[in-house]
Amino acid sequence: QVQLVESGGGLVQAGGSLRLSCAASGRTFSNAMGWFRQAPGKERDFVAAINWSGGTTYYGDSVKGRFTISRDNAKDTVYLQMNMLKPEDTAIYYCARAVYSSTVVNPSAYNYWGQGTQVTVSS
């Protein structure tokens, strides 16, 4: 069984930065990992993904150039560094483990999810 626990969310002003962490218990080092977000009344959107080794990353268009995903397999932890935050980045952010080892955008390809961490960006 895999458990994912996100942390690092909070309230920040527009233009600020936050770093989210996702600590995993159970096997994740051979799987791609991803971050998704869901704003009130909206569908869950893809944010970023990283392959099993950390050598390949992929980003949603709305965060490209501002967010960076990384992982430390020795610590079973995935990170999301968020810079130049905008009010439209406000959402609950979820960490997820993919079925595959390569990056994937479709949320149906992820079989384990964390409980989420709230990120609020004020204008």
Side-chain angles (χ1 to χ4, degrees):
Q1 187 72 13
V2 173
Q3 290 187 325
L4 304 174
V5 179
E6 302 95 336
S7 62
L11 174 64
V12 63
Q13 288 189 333
S17 298
L18 282 175
R19 188 194 195 201
L20 305 184
S21 298
C22 172
S25 61
R27 180 175 173 151
T28 60
F29 64 87
S30 61
N31 297 81
M33 299 291 292
W35 286 95
F36 292 78
R37 67 186 182 186
Q38 188 166 18
K42 295 188 177 181
E43 293 184 350
R44 190 169 296 190
D45 288 335
F46 170 77
V47 175
I50 188 167
N51 76 329
W52 71 276
S53 68
T56 301
T57 57
Y58 191 76
Y59 298 92
D61 288 341
S62 62
V63 307
K64 206 171 294 183
R66 299 187 297 123
F67 291 11
T68 302
I69 187 171
S70 61
R71 68 189 296 166
D72 185 339
N73 285 343
K75 297 181 179 180
D76 290 324
T77 302
V78 179
Y79 306 96
L80 185 68
Q81 178 66 44
M82 305 186 296
N83 298 329
M84 296 182 288
L85 283 161
K86 304 175 182 179
E88 51 264 44
D89 294 319
T90 295
I92 299 175
Y93 283 71
Y94 298 91
C95 171
R97 192 200 81 165
V99 174
Y100 312 109
S101 60
S102 56
T103 56
V104 58
V105 174
N106 193 332
S108 65
Y110 291 79
N111 56 353
Y112 288 99
W113 294 81
Q115 292 300 306
T117 185
Q118 176 71 47
V119 172
T120 303
V121 184
S122 63
S123 57

